[in-house]
Short mmCIF file of all heavy atoms in Angstrom, two decimals:
data_model
loop_
_atom_site.label_atom_id
_atom_site.label_comp_id
_atom_site.label_asym_id
_atom_site.label_seq_id
_atom_site.Cartn_x
_atom_site.Cartn_y
_atom_site.Cartn_z
N HIS B 67 29.75 126.48 24.77
CA HIS B 67 28.34 126.44 24.41
C HIS B 67 28.07 127.11 23.07
O HIS B 67 27.24 126.67 22.30
CB HIS B 67 27.51 127.09 25.51
CG HIS B 67 27.45 126.24 26.74
ND1 HIS B 67 28.34 126.38 27.78
CD2 HIS B 67 26.66 125.18 27.05
CE1 HIS B 67 28.07 125.48 28.71
NE2 HIS B 67 27.06 124.74 28.29
N GLY B 68 28.78 128.17 22.82
CA GLY B 68 28.53 128.87 21.56
C GLY B 68 29.44 128.43 20.43
O GLY B 68 29.61 129.18 19.46
N ILE B 69 30.03 127.28 20.52
CA ILE B 69 31.02 126.87 19.54
C ILE B 69 30.60 125.57 18.85
O ILE B 69 30.16 124.63 19.50
CB ILE B 69 32.40 126.69 20.23
CG1 ILE B 69 32.92 128.08 20.63
CG2 ILE B 69 33.39 125.97 19.32
CD1 ILE B 69 34.11 128.04 21.51
N ASP B 70 30.76 125.57 17.51
CA ASP B 70 30.41 124.38 16.73
C ASP B 70 31.63 123.54 16.37
O ASP B 70 31.57 122.33 16.32
CB ASP B 70 29.70 124.79 15.44
CG ASP B 70 28.43 125.59 15.72
OD1 ASP B 70 27.58 125.09 16.49
OD2 ASP B 70 28.29 126.70 15.19
N VAL B 71 32.71 124.22 16.04
CA VAL B 71 33.90 123.52 15.56
C VAL B 71 35.13 124.08 16.29
O VAL B 71 35.30 125.30 16.36
CB VAL B 71 34.10 123.70 14.04
CG1 VAL B 71 35.36 122.98 13.58
CG2 VAL B 71 32.88 123.20 13.27
N VAL B 72 35.95 123.18 16.76
CA VAL B 72 37.22 123.57 17.37
C VAL B 72 38.36 123.09 16.49
O VAL B 72 38.40 121.91 16.10
CB VAL B 72 37.37 122.97 18.79
CG1 VAL B 72 38.83 122.89 19.20
CG2 VAL B 72 36.58 123.78 19.79
N PHE B 73 39.28 124.01 16.18
CA PHE B 73 40.58 123.61 15.62
C PHE B 73 41.59 123.67 16.76
O PHE B 73 41.75 124.72 17.39
CB PHE B 73 41.01 124.55 14.51
CG PHE B 73 40.19 124.44 13.26
CD1 PHE B 73 39.10 125.29 13.06
CD2 PHE B 73 40.49 123.51 12.28
CE1 PHE B 73 38.34 125.20 11.91
CE2 PHE B 73 39.72 123.43 11.12
CZ PHE B 73 38.64 124.27 10.93
N CYS B 74 42.24 122.57 17.00
CA CYS B 74 43.15 122.51 18.13
C CYS B 74 44.60 122.56 17.63
O CYS B 74 45.05 121.62 16.96
CB CYS B 74 42.88 121.25 18.93
SG CYS B 74 43.77 121.20 20.48
N CYS B 75 45.29 123.63 17.91
CA CYS B 75 46.67 123.85 17.43
C CYS B 75 47.65 123.87 18.60
O CYS B 75 48.63 124.62 18.57
CB CYS B 75 46.76 125.16 16.65
SG CYS B 75 45.57 125.28 15.30
N LEU B 76 47.35 123.11 19.60
CA LEU B 76 48.20 123.11 20.79
C LEU B 76 49.39 122.17 20.59
O LEU B 76 49.39 121.34 19.69
CB LEU B 76 47.36 122.66 21.99
CG LEU B 76 46.20 123.62 22.30
CD1 LEU B 76 45.26 123.00 23.32
CD2 LEU B 76 46.74 124.95 22.82
N PRO B 77 50.40 122.31 21.44
CA PRO B 77 51.59 121.48 21.28
C PRO B 77 51.27 119.99 21.49
O PRO B 77 50.33 119.65 22.22
CB PRO B 77 52.53 121.97 22.39
CG PRO B 77 52.05 123.34 22.72
CD PRO B 77 50.57 123.31 22.50
N HIS B 78 52.07 119.15 20.87
CA HIS B 78 51.93 117.72 21.06
C HIS B 78 52.03 117.41 22.55
O HIS B 78 52.82 118.00 23.27
CB HIS B 78 53.03 116.98 20.30
CG HIS B 78 53.08 117.34 18.85
ND1 HIS B 78 51.95 117.45 18.07
CD2 HIS B 78 54.12 117.62 18.03
CE1 HIS B 78 52.31 117.76 16.83
NE2 HIS B 78 53.61 117.90 16.79
N GLY B 79 51.24 116.47 23.00
CA GLY B 79 51.34 116.03 24.39
C GLY B 79 50.35 116.72 25.31
O GLY B 79 49.79 116.09 26.21
N THR B 80 50.07 117.98 25.10
CA THR B 80 49.14 118.69 25.98
C THR B 80 47.71 118.61 25.45
O THR B 80 46.77 118.99 26.12
CB THR B 80 49.50 120.17 26.06
OG1 THR B 80 49.29 120.76 24.79
CG2 THR B 80 50.95 120.35 26.47
N THR B 81 47.58 118.10 24.24
CA THR B 81 46.31 118.21 23.55
C THR B 81 45.29 117.18 24.01
O THR B 81 44.09 117.44 24.08
CB THR B 81 46.58 118.06 22.03
OG1 THR B 81 47.44 119.12 21.64
CG2 THR B 81 45.30 118.10 21.24
N GLN B 82 45.77 116.01 24.33
CA GLN B 82 44.84 114.92 24.65
C GLN B 82 43.88 115.29 25.77
O GLN B 82 42.67 115.10 25.68
CB GLN B 82 45.64 113.65 25.01
CG GLN B 82 46.34 113.06 23.79
CD GLN B 82 47.58 112.26 24.14
OE1 GLN B 82 47.97 112.18 25.30
NE2 GLN B 82 48.19 111.68 23.13
N GLN B 83 44.43 115.83 26.82
CA GLN B 83 43.56 116.16 27.94
C GLN B 83 42.63 117.32 27.63
O GLN B 83 41.49 117.35 28.07
CB GLN B 83 44.42 116.45 29.18
CG GLN B 83 45.03 115.14 29.73
CD GLN B 83 46.29 115.38 30.52
OE1 GLN B 83 47.22 116.02 30.02
NE2 GLN B 83 46.33 114.85 31.73
N VAL B 84 43.12 118.28 26.86
CA VAL B 84 42.26 119.40 26.49
C VAL B 84 41.05 118.89 25.70
O VAL B 84 39.91 119.24 26.00
CB VAL B 84 43.05 120.43 25.65
CG1 VAL B 84 42.11 121.47 25.06
CG2 VAL B 84 44.13 121.09 26.50
N ILE B 85 41.31 118.06 24.73
CA ILE B 85 40.21 117.60 23.88
C ILE B 85 39.26 116.69 24.64
O ILE B 85 38.04 116.70 24.41
CB ILE B 85 40.77 116.91 22.62
CG1 ILE B 85 41.49 117.96 21.75
CG2 ILE B 85 39.66 116.23 21.81
CD1 ILE B 85 42.07 117.45 20.46
N ALA B 86 39.80 115.95 25.58
CA ALA B 86 38.94 115.06 26.36
C ALA B 86 37.85 115.83 27.10
O ALA B 86 36.80 115.29 27.43
CB ALA B 86 39.79 114.25 27.34
#
Side-chain angles (χ1 to χ4, degrees):
Chain B
H67 289 93
I69 290 170
D70 302 306
V71 179
V72 157
F73 290 94
C74 189
C75 305
L76 297 169
H78 306 316
T80 67
T81 299
Q82 290 154 357
Q83 287 156 307
V84 170
I85 293 181

